[in-house]
């Protein structure tokens, strides 16, 4: 849950500096930092917090990739079916 809040906050803040691509980078950086510092606060080691935060980022990147490929595939299908 905290990764979502951190991602939204990061996206909003980075949007002011880099209007289009800043949202994506802000999402990743905000999520990473929020999860990392929360795990440190819970008493996890830095190495453990690093692994958990990396897992969150990998999950975000993979899910964005799957969404993008699905949208492209549906778009191509619709364009071919119209023609």
């Amino acid at each position: 849950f905290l990764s979502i809040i951190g991602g939204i906050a990061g996206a909003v803040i980075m949007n002011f500096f880099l209007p289009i691509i800043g949202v994506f980078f802000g999402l990743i950086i905000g999520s990473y930092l929020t999860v990392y510092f929360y795990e440190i606060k819970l008493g996890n080691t830095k190495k453990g917090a690093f692994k958990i935060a990396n897992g969150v980022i990998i999950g975000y990147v993979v899910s964005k990739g799957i969404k993008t490929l699905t949208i492209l595939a549906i778009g191509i299908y619709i364009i071919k079916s119209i023609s």
Side-chain angles (χ1 to χ4, degrees), residues 22-55:
V23 173
F24 181 71
F25 287 125
L27 174 73
I28 291 175
I29 293 168
S31 299
Y32 182 86
L33 291 176
T34 304
V35 171
Y36 179 79
F37 287 120
Y38 183 71
E39 290 297 325
I40 293 291
K41 180 184 172 196
L42 288 178
N44 207 344
T45 63
K46 288 184 180 182
K47 187 175 183 179
F50 180 74
K51 281 180 148 182
I52 293 170
N54 281 342

